[in-house]
Amino acid sequence: MKPKENSCSSVPIMDAAAIGRALRRIAHEIIERNPHLEGVVLAGIPSRGVEIASRIASFIRQTAKTDVDTGVIDVAMHRDDVGTRRELPVVHASKLPVPLEDRTVVIVDDVLYTGRTVRAAMDAINSFGRPARIQLAVLVDRGHRELPIRPDYVGKNLPTATREQIHVRLEETDNEPDAVWLKRE
Amino acid sequence: MTTQLAHWTRKDLLSLRELSADEIKFVLETTDAFKQVGTREIKKVPALRGKTLVNFFVEPSTRTRTSFELAAFRLSADVINISATTSSLTKGETLKDTARNLEALQADIIVLRHSSAGAPQFLASRLKASMINAGDGAHEHPTQGLLDLYTIRERKGKIGGLHVVIIGDILFSRVARSNIFGLLKLGARVTLVGPSTLVPREFEKLGVEVSHKIDNVLPNADVVNLLRIQHERQRREYFPGLGEYIRLFGLTKQRAKLLKSDCLIMHPGPINRGVEIDSEVADGLQSVILEQVTNGLAVRMAVLYLCGGIAP
């Protein structure tokens, strides 16, 4: 497995098989923790979170023979740093099944870092209604939380330094083989 | 038609002429996200919390002002409205001084409607605040152009390759100009129709077709956009009378039969029922006039979010 860019050092953390195993395990944990699976909504944060949510949903389908709802939760317009950036990212349309009452929304993202994105996602979900509970699933937890937020399902715990970066690449969203890289300047 | 643009970088929206096709697509895609907000239980997001928006309408307007005001509310901005009659412009203060006073009040976004073409441009280059053109003279009305593009794209799934016919008072219409620039950039074919006094051949230089015979054009239109006959702007006689206008260019019930069954009928409002469009046609199945109003709100949320969300 050769890193694409050579200007800074890249360490492979997960390959396609490891990502597959991690997401399959998360699917099992979601089944265990949620006896009422029909009530679960997997809400991905664009764009990789949406792809990861759809993969977890298909693992749940294989294992529990149950179709769980998936959704998209865009956080750009709920972030707390609008007005402080010179460039605004693309916002995507959110999509969640309503009503959300009595449902368990699982927020799905690729990397958990400061927790600010998750805070924004929870705000966004609340504007759709009041779910019974909200859970959090991430492929990689790299630490450095700035808010009191803790994931319920973690693919890989990876202690990092703040100057390091985690790059997740997925076939569907990046046109590259599935992989997680740790990059150092 | 997906944008290739990664980021929005403009603090002002002054015209569609200055935007690239990718920038226009970027706004339309952002609008999708804000239109979705309108379907939520709580139709309000915190994006512009703490920002102050000034609706500065030197020329009267209800629908555009209200649309901007509601858009700002839904983005959690604070809004103040100033109209020509309540401002000190009537006491002789210059536009620049009024605007500098607004800035001294720490306005972050100024939405300006003005009777002089270029007024928003003039202020944008002198103020730190974001400047949104809500119509300047007969120059441009960019958010109206964007909401028309959005409505066409939503209904037809594309804009490139469509034949859009704009009918009526083109000469005095900032709506027509914004539509022309936007439609051409996104690859539509545009035909302007109206009396030669209001639709001079000069417009062909922009890359559009000009026709003075409506019945020849209607059968191959994918979209017709009817413009209001602006009585208030026409100091001289540009056509003999309303009766003759209706006979030659009005979209009557009879004439509407010439349209393809899936042709969209659009109008920026306010409509003059029985003049440029018959009541039954305006309320008919092909009419998307009220969808334009709904989309206008989402487009303005997108524009305020993009221009107002950039770091000053």
Side-chain angles (χ1 to χ4, degrees):
Chain A
M1 200 155 66
K2 270 267 172 72
K4 279 215 151 178
E5 302 111 83
N6 294 317
S7 57
C8 52
S9 76
S10 291
V11 182
I13 301 296
M14 297 173 94
D15 60 10
I19 291 173
R21 280 194 302 273
L23 297 184
R24 195 181 289 274
R25 178 170 49 74
I26 289 175
H28 280 278
E29 288 173 10
I30 290 175
I31 296 167
E32 262 175 40
R33 287 268 300 274
N34 296 281
H36 182 60
L37 260 186
E38 291 75 17
V40 168
V41 182
L42 301 176
I45 296 175
S47 41
R48 295 190 194 93
V50 176
E51 170 55 25
I52 293 171
S54 119
R55 292 189 189 184
I56 295 174
S58 70
F59 285 134
I60 292 177
R61 195 178 309 118
Q62 283 170 22
T63 308
K65 308 282 177 268
T66 307
D67 280 317
V68 293
D69 280 333
T70 55
V72 176
I73 192 78
D74 192 77
V75 298
M77 58 183 92
H78 291 269
R79 291 188 63 99
D80 56 10
D81 58 356
V82 176
T84 64
R85 285 174 293 176
R86 301 295 301 175
E87 300 169 324
L88 281 181
V90 183
V91 297
H92 301 83
S94 295
K95 203 173 114 225
L96 282 178
V98 283
L100 281 182
E101 278 67 15
D102 303 325
R103 305 206 64 167
T104 299
V105 179
V106 182
I107 298 170
V108 182
D109 205 0
D110 52 354
V111 178
L112 177 60
Y113 186 28
T114 62
R116 286 176 193 273
T117 301
V118 175
R119 202 263 328 140
M122 287 192 283
D123 273 1
I125 290 166
N126 285 333
S127 70
F128 283 82
R130 186 174 180 277
R133 61 189 69 76
I134 298 178
Q135 299 173 348
L136 174 60
V138 295
L139 179 58
V140 177
D141 179 358
R142 63 166 294 190
H144 302 285
R145 219 75 76 239
E146 293 169 1
L147 296 170
I149 281 168
R150 173 186 62 75
D152 298 275
Y153 313 100
V154 184
K156 187 168 188 67
N157 276 300
L158 189 68
T160 56
T162 43
R163 60 171 197 287
E164 293 170 329
Q165 290 184 324
I166 302 294
H167 287 196
V168 176
R169 294 291 175 266
L170 300 175
E171 193 93 53
E172 288 79 354
T173 50
D174 306 285
N175 272 321
E176 279 180 45
D178 285 5
V180 178
W181 301 92
L182 175 68
K183 302 221 170 193
R184 296 198 183 93
E185 293 293 320
Chain B
M1 51 175 271
T2 322
T3 181
Q4 301 299 310
L5 195 70
H7 297 281
W8 181 262
T9 51
R10 285 178 189 272
K11 83 168 175 76
D12 307 307
L13 177 67
L14 304 174
S15 69
L16 291 197
R17 188 177 214 162
E18 69 180 1
L19 297 189
S20 67
D22 268 329
E23 284 177 309
I24 293 173
K25 290 178 198 166
F26 194 96
V27 178
L28 300 183
E29 283 164 30
T30 305
T31 303
D32 284 334
F34 284 101
K35 187 160 185 190
Q36 192 285 321
V37 173
T39 68
R40 297 184 192 177
E41 196 171 292
I42 297 168
K43 298 169 177 51
K44 188 163 176 152
V45 295
L48 296 185
R49 192 169 51 190
K51 301 245 180 199
T52 302
L53 178 141
V54 176
N55 255 332
F56 189 19
F57 277 64
V58 180
E59 216 184 37
S61 156
T62 307
R63 73 186 59 218
T64 303
R65 184 183 58 71
T66 311
S67 182
F68 270 109
E69 194 171 351
L70 194 50
F73 286 154
R74 288 197 171 172
L75 293 169
S76 306
D78 297 310
V79 182
I80 45 174
N81 290 301
I82 298 175
S83 64
T85 45
T86 60
S87 80
S88 291
L89 286 175
T90 52
K91 298 175 192 163
E93 189 178 60
T94 65
L95 177 62
K96 188 180 169 191
D97 281 331
T98 306
R100 288 179 67 174
N101 275 279
L102 296 176
E103 193 162 68
L105 290 170
Q106 290 159 351
D108 300 291
I109 306 168
I110 298 173
V111 177
L112 180 67
R113 157 75 54 102
H114 202 280
S115 52
S116 297
Q121 190 108 40
F122 172 83
L123 289 181
S125 59
R126 285 162 178 80
L127 299 178
K128 285 196 294 291
S130 284
M131 178 63 60
I132 312 294
N133 181 3
D136 57 334
H139 175 227
E140 279 220 40
H141 191 350
T143 56
Q144 179 70 45
L146 288 167
L147 78 88
D148 289 343
L149 293 172
Y150 186 83
T151 305
I152 296 170
R153 166 183 172 274
E154 185 174 63
R155 277 305 199 99
K156 294 284 189 185
K158 59 171 185 181
I159 288 172
L162 294 180
H163 183 205
V164 180
V165 177
I166 306 175
I167 303 168
D169 181 354
I170 311 289
L171 190 60
F172 290 96
S173 175
R174 52 193 173 212
V175 175
R177 254 178 271 301
S178 288
N179 263 278
I180 291 167
F181 295 130
L183 287 165
L184 292 180
K185 279 172 201 251
L186 297 190
R189 175 185 162 207
V190 179
T191 303
L192 309 178
V193 177
S196 56
T197 46
L198 294 175
V199 189
R201 292 262 167 215
E202 286 284 287
F203 275 101
E204 286 175 348
K205 287 182 192 155
L206 295 176
V208 301
E209 294 160 51
V210 168
S211 170
H212 305 306
K213 293 199 169 64
I214 188 170
D215 293 349
N216 296 349
V217 178
L218 291 183
N220 54 45
D222 297 304
V223 177
V224 292
N225 200 346
L226 298 150
L227 302 179
R228 189 171 63 91
I229 293 300
Q230 307 193 61
H231 313 282
E232 72 274 17
R233 284 181 197 284
Q234 283 150 26
R235 294 180 197 95
R236 289 184 288 142
E237 289 294 325
Y238 282 86
F239 51 89
L242 281 185
E244 177 153 341
Y245 183 85
I246 294 165
R247 195 168 57 75
L248 291 173
F249 298 105
L251 191 61
T252 57
K253 202 178 152 191
Q254 198 60 33
R255 195 166 264 146
K257 288 179 185 156
L258 294 172
L259 296 171
K260 289 193 265 187
S261 59
D262 63 347
C263 177
L264 303 181
I265 297 172
M266 305 176 67
H267 193 300
I271 58 178
N272 292 324
R273 285 176 185 269
V275 182
E276 64 265 359
I277 187 166
D278 266 5
S279 256
E280 282 136 288
V281 180
D283 302 329
L285 288 173
Q286 287 169 271
S287 163
V288 292
I289 295 172
L290 291 175
E291 284 171 41
Q292 288 174 266
V293 178
T294 307
N295 291 337
L297 180 56
V299 161
R300 291 183 177 113
M301 286 175 78
V303 167
L304 294 178
Y305 168 79
L306 292 173
C307 294
I310 297 270

